[in-house]
Amino acid sequence: MTAGLLLQVEGLTLRVGDATLLKNFDWKVHAGEFWCVLGKNGIGKSTLLHAIAGLLPPASGRIGSPVGEVRRTTPQQLALWRGLQAQQQFDAFSCSVLDSVMAGLHPYRPGWGWPDAADRRAALHVLERLDMASYADADVMRLSGGERQRVAMATLMLQAPQLYLLDEPASHQDVAAQLLVMRTLKELADDDHAVVATMHDINLAARFASHVLLIAEGKVWQGRAADILRPDLLEAAYGCRFEAVDSAGGRWLMPA
Ligand SMILES: Nc1ncnc2c1ncn2[C@@H]1O[C@H](COP(=O)(O)OP(=O)(O)OP(=O)(O)O)[C@@H](O)[C@H]1O
């Protein structure tokens, strides 16, 4: 793969049960890009993220990373290349927020061992970036949905993969926290990583994403955000009318 290319998808077809979700799909993601993946419920956004992460074998096609084809890559190589923040977090037992975040360091540790002061500092630093440092000693099982989601993002940031995959990272966030999450994701992309996030908020995508992948039934549009976030394409993907409203703060895309 050429320098800066962090993901190369070729001829990808995904099937779950009897349904074919993507057919013969090609896609390239480079360092520095922030992709938002949009499309209606059940169209296959999470399934695509899981396939790229190596958790779902494709029906056909190839998913390439800088360390080789995903299905031939070891779990540790995969963990250094990509990290996935799932749509929901499940906690089976009590654990402090700080310990939960330090799980992100696992790919860098040869075996089991106790975290040291530098690990704790690094974990606190990512929590600070997401305005969650004051929760470091809290029990993950007692967090609100939005707080737990930001702890999951902090864990992913400590893992520091080249390619960040996030399934609806702003879904449980209040409006101010949405901006914090999106700004932080943009900073990660600007810092030479690549970010791929599924979203339902088209206007957050318009404001922060450099690129958009818009998935519709039997069709996919991809490219620079401003080229894809057009009322006609959104109407084709979501099946409802859209109006573009220009304001001093930029262009808003409103379902009409
Ligand atoms: N294990 C499975 N077996 C059968 N069907 C599945 C399985 N997992 C997912 N599906 C179906 O695949 C389709 C795509 O699901 P996916 O979760 O990828 O959609 P999505 O675009 O992320 O949706 P949402 O916006 O609602 O999160 C859905 O119709 C879902 O019901």
Side-chain angles (χ1 to χ4, degrees):
M1 278 168 57
T2 53
L5 182 58
L6 295 185
L7 171 68
Q8 182 163 24
V9 173
E10 292 170 299
L12 183 70
T13 297
L14 296 179
R15 276 196 203 106
V16 284
D18 296 334
T20 300
L21 296 176
L22 276 170
K23 209 169 176 183
N24 209 17
F25 169 60
D26 295 327
W27 191 27
K28 285 182 183 174
V29 174
H30 297 84
E33 293 175 350
F34 179 2
W35 283 81
C36 280
V37 181
L38 305 177
K40 62 185 189 180
N41 290 137
I43 203 72
K45 302 179 296 295
S46 302
T47 306
L48 173 62
L49 250 52
H50 287 216
I52 292 167
L55 306 177
L56 174 83
S60 61
R62 187 181 173 282
I63 301 171
S65 81
V67 285
E69 198 173 342
V70 164
R71 66 192 174 98
R72 298 184 203 283
T73 308
T74 66
Q76 191 185 15
Q77 284 175 319
L78 276 182
L80 295 173
W81 164 62
R82 60 86 180 114
L84 173 68
Q85 181 181 320
Q87 209 174 93
Q88 306 284 350
Q89 279 73 47
F90 299 102
D91 296 303
F93 49 83
S94 290
C95 167
S96 78
V97 163
L98 201 70
D99 283 338
S100 171
V101 171
M102 283 190 291
L105 292 170
H106 192 59
Y108 302 96
R109 299 290 181 266
W112 296 104
W114 298 107
D116 59 23
D119 294 341
R120 286 196 187 82
R121 272 198 304 278
L124 262 180
H125 177 66
V126 287
L127 283 169
E128 268 160 20
R129 284 183 72 180
L130 293 170
D131 202 17
M132 285 297 294
S134 60
Y135 291 80
D137 297 324
D139 183 335
V140 284
M141 293 185 87
R142 296 192 177 185
L143 298 177
S144 75
E147 291 161 355
R148 184 65 187 89
Q149 193 176 40
R150 271 186 284 155
V151 169
M153 187 167 153
T155 308
L156 183 64
M157 287 168 67
L158 200 60
Q159 180 184 340
Q162 294 175 285
L163 174 67
Y164 284 75
L165 304 169
L166 304 100
D167 204 350
E168 295 184 32
S171 59
H172 295 297
Q173 303 303 317
D174 65 52
V175 283
Q178 282 180 351
L179 295 178
L180 175 64
V181 162
M182 295 301 280
R183 274 194 198 111
T184 307
L185 292 176
K186 187 175 179 320
E187 283 166 15
L188 293 170
D190 290 345
D191 193 24
D192 222 25
H193 298 89
V195 176
V196 174
T198 68
M199 300 283 298
H200 283 299
D201 190 322
I202 292 162
N203 290 303
L204 274 184
R207 190 158 161 193
F208 291 97
S210 63
H211 292 75
V212 165
L213 172 66
L214 178 61
I215 307 176
E217 262 157 49
K219 186 140 183 59
V220 162
W221 293 275
Q222 55 177 295
R224 299 203 69 84
D227 296 333
I228 304 300
L229 293 176
R230 297 181 349 213
D232 57 333
L233 300 188
L234 293 169
E235 281 170 21
Y238 289 98
C240 64
R241 237 170 46 74
F242 277 84
E243 228 171 79
V245 180
D246 289 310
S247 76
R251 167 170 279 214
W252 299 90
L253 291 149
M254 309 300 289

